[in-house]
Amino acid sequence: MNIGSGALRTPPVVKNLLIINALVFFAQAYLPNGWGNILTVKGALFFRKSDYFQPYQLVTHMFLHGSFGHLFLNMFSLWMFGRILEYDLGSKRFLTFYMICGIGAALLYSGVNWLEISYLRSTGVSEIIVQRAINIPSLGASGAIFGVLLGFGMMHPNSVIMLLIPPITMKAKYFVIIFMVLEIIQGFAVTDNVAHFAHVGGMIWGFFLLRYWKRTGKIYY
């Protein structure tokens, strides 16, 4: 991979996304009189049948995070891979890519959520349990970040990535494929607080958007 001396600089969209996410997290954590919690509830993504749902949450959920670790992992990944992708695509196109991946991730996650809630109702469980599922919020930039990872893997497939756990090297194309397969498996098999299908959604939207831009001659890779 050769992107010149700009590799160590942070281009404007990535820099501003880092700043905005950090400021919003600071507001979540430190606004007085419960305003931080209100910001989280208003901005997180809820199921469309929830009393808390608002259409704008398809966007705002991307700028909220549940913990410092959650924020750090997303922003570190954005800084590592988003810088290079922004140089590849240009700032305006990169911002479009980032937002579409994030919104697309939310749409797929909402669809999966609808299927899960429909299944719950079909089993005859208590409506209290159904309502609890309806009112679980989703937040974080992970869907958009996974789109960025996918974009990096498509545009720099043979770049070598050094993993931390386990400490091995791997080409970006294999890294992306393995990550996506793991997210699909975990989405079906693991019960946790992670929106695995949002991650998959970000990657799917990123794939088709890059393919469209390539086919129309707007980008080359």
Side-chain angles (χ1 to χ4, degrees), residues 39-59:
L39 174 65
T40 301
V41 171
K42 292 292 186 181
L45 177 64
F46 285 88
F47 184 61
R48 65 183 183 85
K49 293 294 186 180
S50 170
D51 292 337
Y52 300 109
F53 172 75
Q54 295 294 334
Y56 64 75
Q57 294 169 353
L58 292 170
V59 174

Side-chain angles (χ1 to χ4, degrees), residues 8 21 37 39 42 51-52 72 80-81 99 108-109 111 117 123-124 150 189 208-209:
L8 297 179
N21 277 275
N37 289 333
L39 174 65
K42 292 292 186 181
D51 292 337
Y52 300 109
F72 176 80
M80 284 292 295
F81 301 104
M99 296 302 295
L108 180 63
Y109 172 76
I117 290 169
T123 62
L150 183 281
F208 284 109
L209 185 56

Side-chain angles (χ1 to χ4, degrees), residues 40 44 68 97 106 148 213:
T40 301
F68 177 76
F97 179 83
V148 169
W213 282 339

